[in-house]
Amino acid sequence: MNKDENALWSIFGYLLSGLLVWGGIGYFVDRWLGYDRVFTLVGLLLGMGSALYLVWLRFGRHSG
Amino acid sequence: MRLIHAATGEGFNPPSAKDFELPPFIEGVDWATKPILLAFLSVIFISVFFIAASRKAAVVPSKLQFAGEGVYNFVREGLGREIIGHDFLKFVPYLFTLFTFILVNNFFGIIPFLQFPTMSRVSFPYVLAAITFFIFHYVGIKKQGIVKYLREIMFMPGVPKPVYILLTPIEIATYFLVRPLTLSLRLFANMFAGHLLLLVFFLGGEHLLNGVLGLKLVSPFAFVIGIGLTFFEFMVQVLQAYIFTLLTALYIAGALADEH
Amino acid sequence: MEGMTGTLNLVGYGLSAIGPAIATGMIFAAYINGVARQPEARSVLQPIAFLGFALAEALALFGLVLAFVL
């Protein structure tokens, strides 16, 4: 019960901050190089991927 | 998202964020607004209630004492002992204060004549989340030492080194930005949206009542749904107070744990 | 309805959130069912349920961000 709820909110936080951090970096790269949203999308995908990897590391690696 | 009616003045003005910006009730004193007054009122109410409940403590409790002890036990056993585990007594005062403060301030949203949830002004949740933020980091640093605490946050074990470039920013953002932000915004958004929802149904029902005959006939439905939503809001308010306190306890427990 | 302003992105996000919402519900329904029938299977089921939840939640958050970015 305790561990489950903790895990759910942590997963939500990781996914959100993955998107925000890498999407934000992509957004500033776009502003810097003058592209239109290309690097934002790349950053979002990268952030989502690494956030999912982090979730897998923390909660899926060893069963239990 | 705002849907603005072009013919302002004539048509129905839907409730918007403007309805939350209340003018000060004393002329010229900027800080004396309704939310501030309600926050003070809640402090007085909580103090009086729990002092009265614990004053004549007896082995066979009176109804008041029973109610007060029920709330206290709920926080102490359900949130403190269950989640923080063996050092929980230190944190029970903070958890209990947090829970009752948020609960009473949320209830103000549906109490007649007061009818304004204090937490729908975003500054209140921000401050509460900031206190929680400082407490759980302080506890973690004190328990494990600053270097070890930060290393545990930033570096997951068992990952090839280059991957840390991807993962460490996410971990830092989670602990130092997203956690306090989601904590406060969840409470704020729930109270804001709930109050807006009630405003839509009651003001809309009133507007329908002043319309032509066909509109008058459907206005009771708006009021009935509004009353139903008031009970729904009651549930949401209790739940949000509980979740805020639960997450605070979980963060403290996470900071205390040697290994997460 | 003339005279209404706003962005359709958010309507699209509302529609796209239906999928992950149903998915999350189904994942936890199955997880609770499994643990209720066989409590010792919990340690096996838990990571699977969490990863499924993470994938579904990822789509919902992706929709949320794209609604504002695009």
Side-chain angles (χ1 to χ4, degrees), chain B residues 96-108:
Chain B
F96 181 65
T97 312
L98 199 61
F99 181 70
T100 48
F101 183 71
I102 296 174
L103 190 68
V104 170
N105 274 303
N106 285 352
F107 279 164
F108 284 155

PDB file of all heavy atoms in Angstrom, chain B residues 96-108:
ATOM      1  N   PHE B  96      -0.218  16.757  11.209  1.00  0.00           N
ATOM      2  CA  PHE B  96      -1.549  17.026  11.756  1.00  0.00           C
ATOM      3  C   PHE B  96      -1.966  18.463  11.460  1.00  0.00           C
ATOM      4  O   PHE B  96      -3.097  18.726  11.024  1.00  0.00           O
ATOM      5  CB  PHE B  96      -1.529  16.755  13.253  1.00  0.00           C
ATOM      6  CG  PHE B  96      -2.854  16.977  13.920  1.00  0.00           C
ATOM      7  CD1 PHE B  96      -3.928  16.176  13.596  1.00  0.00           C
ATOM      8  CD2 PHE B  96      -3.015  17.971  14.853  1.00  0.00           C
ATOM      9  CE1 PHE B  96      -5.145  16.369  14.194  1.00  0.00           C
ATOM     10  CE2 PHE B  96      -4.222  18.167  15.461  1.00  0.00           C
ATOM     11  CZ  PHE B  96      -5.290  17.370  15.126  1.00  0.00           C
ATOM     12  N   THR B  97      -1.045  19.421  11.662  1.00  0.00           N
ATOM     13  CA  THR B  97      -1.344  20.817  11.374  1.00  0.00           C
ATOM     14  C   THR B  97      -1.691  20.994   9.903  1.00  0.00           C
ATOM     15  O   THR B  97      -2.675  21.645   9.550  1.00  0.00           O
ATOM     16  CB  THR B  97      -0.129  21.696  11.700  1.00  0.00           C
ATOM     17  OG1 THR B  97       0.340  21.354  12.979  1.00  0.00           O
ATOM     18  CG2 THR B  97      -0.482  23.144  11.662  1.00  0.00           C
ATOM     19  N   LEU B  98      -0.867  20.381   9.050  1.00  0.00           N
ATOM     20  CA  LEU B  98      -1.077  20.487   7.613  1.00  0.00           C
ATOM     21  C   LEU B  98      -2.451  19.951   7.230  1.00  0.00           C
ATOM     22  O   LEU B  98      -3.218  20.614   6.517  1.00  0.00           O
ATOM     23  CB  LEU B  98       0.018  19.680   6.914  1.00  0.00           C
ATOM     24  CG  LEU B  98       0.308  19.956   5.459  1.00  0.00           C
ATOM     25  CD1 LEU B  98       0.762  21.382   5.307  1.00  0.00           C
ATOM     26  CD2 LEU B  98       1.369  19.017   4.979  1.00  0.00           C
ATOM     27  N   PHE B  99      -2.771  18.756   7.730  1.00  0.00           N
ATOM     28  CA  PHE B  99      -4.028  18.117   7.354  1.00  0.00           C
ATOM     29  C   PHE B  99      -5.227  18.961   7.780  1.00  0.00           C
ATOM     30  O   PHE B  99      -6.114  19.247   6.973  1.00  0.00           O
ATOM     31  CB  PHE B  99      -4.106  16.720   7.977  1.00  0.00           C
ATOM     32  CG  PHE B  99      -5.357  15.980   7.621  1.00  0.00           C
ATOM     33  CD1 PHE B  99      -5.550  15.517   6.340  1.00  0.00           C
ATOM     34  CD2 PHE B  99      -6.325  15.754   8.572  1.00  0.00           C
ATOM     35  CE1 PHE B  99      -6.693  14.844   6.002  1.00  0.00           C
ATOM     36  CE2 PHE B  99      -7.484  15.076   8.242  1.00  0.00           C
ATOM     37  CZ  PHE B  99      -7.657  14.625   6.957  1.00  0.00           C
ATOM     38  N   THR B 100      -5.253  19.383   9.052  1.00  0.00           N
ATOM     39  CA  THR B 100      -6.426  20.126   9.516  1.00  0.00           C
ATOM     40  C   THR B 100      -6.514  21.491   8.840  1.00  0.00           C
ATOM     41  O   THR B 100      -7.602  21.944   8.492  1.00  0.00           O
ATOM     42  CB  THR B 100      -6.393  20.299  11.034  1.00  0.00           C
ATOM     43  OG1 THR B 100      -5.104  20.751  11.409  1.00  0.00           O
ATOM     44  CG2 THR B 100      -6.701  19.018  11.732  1.00  0.00           C
ATOM     45  N   PHE B 101      -5.372  22.138   8.636  1.00  0.00           N
ATOM     46  CA  PHE B 101      -5.392  23.461   8.001  1.00  0.00           C
ATOM     47  C   PHE B 101      -5.962  23.378   6.589  1.00  0.00           C
ATOM     48  O   PHE B 101      -6.861  24.145   6.223  1.00  0.00           O
ATOM     49  CB  PHE B 101      -3.975  24.040   7.976  1.00  0.00           C
ATOM     50  CG  PHE B 101      -3.897  25.429   7.418  1.00  0.00           C
ATOM     51  CD1 PHE B 101      -4.401  26.499   8.132  1.00  0.00           C
ATOM     52  CD2 PHE B 101      -3.314  25.655   6.191  1.00  0.00           C
ATOM     53  CE1 PHE B 101      -4.337  27.774   7.620  1.00  0.00           C
ATOM     54  CE2 PHE B 101      -3.243  26.939   5.680  1.00  0.00           C
ATOM     55  CZ  PHE B 101      -3.755  28.003   6.389  1.00  0.00           C
ATOM     56  N   ILE B 102      -5.460  22.417   5.806  1.00  0.00           N
ATOM     57  CA  ILE B 102      -5.950  22.303   4.430  1.00  0.00           C
ATOM     58  C   ILE B 102      -7.409  21.878   4.425  1.00  0.00           C
ATOM     59  O   ILE B 102      -8.222  22.401   3.664  1.00  0.00           O
ATOM     60  CB  ILE B 102      -5.092  21.310   3.642  1.00  0.00           C
ATOM     61  CG1 ILE B 102      -3.672  21.834   3.525  1.00  0.00           C
ATOM     62  CG2 ILE B 102      -5.655  21.085   2.259  1.00  0.00           C
ATOM     63  CD1 ILE B 102      -2.724  20.859   2.899  1.00  0.00           C
ATOM     64  N   LEU B 103      -7.750  20.936   5.308  1.00  0.00           N
ATOM     65  CA  LEU B 103      -9.119  20.425   5.339  1.00  0.00           C
ATOM     66  C   LEU B 103     -10.117  21.537   5.625  1.00  0.00           C
ATOM     67  O   LEU B 103     -11.100  21.726   4.902  1.00  0.00           O
ATOM     68  CB  LEU B 103      -9.225  19.332   6.399  1.00  0.00           C
ATOM     69  CG  LEU B 103     -10.519  18.522   6.400  1.00  0.00           C
ATOM     70  CD1 LEU B 103     -10.582  17.672   5.158  1.00  0.00           C
ATOM     71  CD2 LEU B 103     -10.603  17.653   7.627  1.00  0.00           C
ATOM     72  N   VAL B 104      -9.858  22.319   6.682  1.00  0.00           N
ATOM     73  CA  VAL B 104     -10.808  23.369   7.052  1.00  0.00           C
ATOM     74  C   VAL B 104     -10.869  24.444   5.980  1.00  0.00           C
ATOM     75  O   VAL B 104     -11.940  24.926   5.616  1.00  0.00           O
ATOM     76  CB  VAL B 104     -10.431  23.960   8.425  1.00  0.00           C
ATOM     77  CG1 VAL B 104     -11.246  25.190   8.716  1.00  0.00           C
ATOM     78  CG2 VAL B 104     -10.649  22.933   9.499  1.00  0.00           C
ATOM     79  N   ASN B 105      -9.703  24.802   5.423  1.00  0.00           N
ATOM     80  CA  ASN B 105      -9.708  25.824   4.377  1.00  0.00           C
ATOM     81  C   ASN B 105     -10.426  25.342   3.125  1.00  0.00           C
ATOM     82  O   ASN B 105     -11.055  26.143   2.429  1.00  0.00           O
ATOM     83  CB  ASN B 105      -8.281  26.238   4.030  1.00  0.00           C
ATOM     84  CG  ASN B 105      -7.806  27.325   4.950  1.00  0.00           C
ATOM     85  OD1 ASN B 105      -8.432  28.368   5.046  1.00  0.00           O
ATOM     86  ND2 ASN B 105      -6.728  27.077   5.646  1.00  0.00           N
ATOM     87  N   ASN B 106     -10.342  24.037   2.833  1.00  0.00           N
ATOM     88  CA  ASN B 106     -11.103  23.517   1.700  1.00  0.00           C
ATOM     89  C   ASN B 106     -12.592  23.541   1.978  1.00  0.00           C
ATOM     90  O   ASN B 106     -13.388  23.869   1.107  1.00  0.00           O
ATOM     91  CB  ASN B 106     -10.678  22.079   1.395  1.00  0.00           C
ATOM     92  CG  ASN B 106      -9.340  22.015   0.706  1.00  0.00           C
ATOM     93  OD1 ASN B 106      -8.796  23.047   0.329  1.00  0.00           O
ATOM     94  ND2 ASN B 106      -8.814  20.833   0.538  1.00  0.00           N
ATOM     95  N   PHE B 107     -12.954  23.189   3.206  1.00  0.00           N
ATOM     96  CA  PHE B 107     -14.377  23.175   3.553  1.00  0.00           C
ATOM     97  C   PHE B 107     -15.022  24.535   3.368  1.00  0.00           C
ATOM     98  O   PHE B 107     -16.215  24.632   3.120  1.00  0.00           O
ATOM     99  CB  PHE B 107     -14.572  22.722   4.996  1.00  0.00           C
ATOM    100  CG  PHE B 107     -14.519  21.236   5.162  1.00  0.00           C
ATOM    101  CD1 PHE B 107     -14.339  20.664   6.408  1.00  0.00           C
ATOM    102  CD2 PHE B 107     -14.665  20.402   4.076  1.00  0.00           C
ATOM    103  CE1 PHE B 107     -14.280  19.299   6.555  1.00  0.00           C
ATOM    104  CE2 PHE B 107     -14.612  19.038   4.215  1.00  0.00           C
ATOM    105  CZ  PHE B 107     -14.420  18.487   5.462  1.00  0.00           C
ATOM    106  N   PHE B 108     -14.238  25.598   3.527  1.00  0.00           N
ATOM    107  CA  PHE B 108     -14.801  26.934   3.347  1.00  0.00           C
ATOM    108  C   PHE B 108     -15.419  27.102   1.966  1.00  0.00           C
ATOM    109  O   PHE B 108     -16.238  27.989   1.764  1.00  0.00           O
ATOM    110  CB  PHE B 108     -13.721  28.006   3.561  1.00  0.00           C
ATOM    111  CG  PHE B 108     -13.378  28.225   4.998  1.00  0.00           C
ATOM    112  CD1 PHE B 108     -12.151  28.733   5.363  1.00  0.00           C
ATOM    113  CD2 PHE B 108     -14.283  27.923   5.991  1.00  0.00           C
ATOM    114  CE1 PHE B 108     -11.831  28.930   6.689  1.00  0.00           C
ATOM    115  CE2 PHE B 108     -13.975  28.113   7.318  1.00  0.00           C
ATOM    116  CZ  PHE B 108     -12.745  28.620   7.660  1.00  0.00           C
TER     117      PHE B 108
END
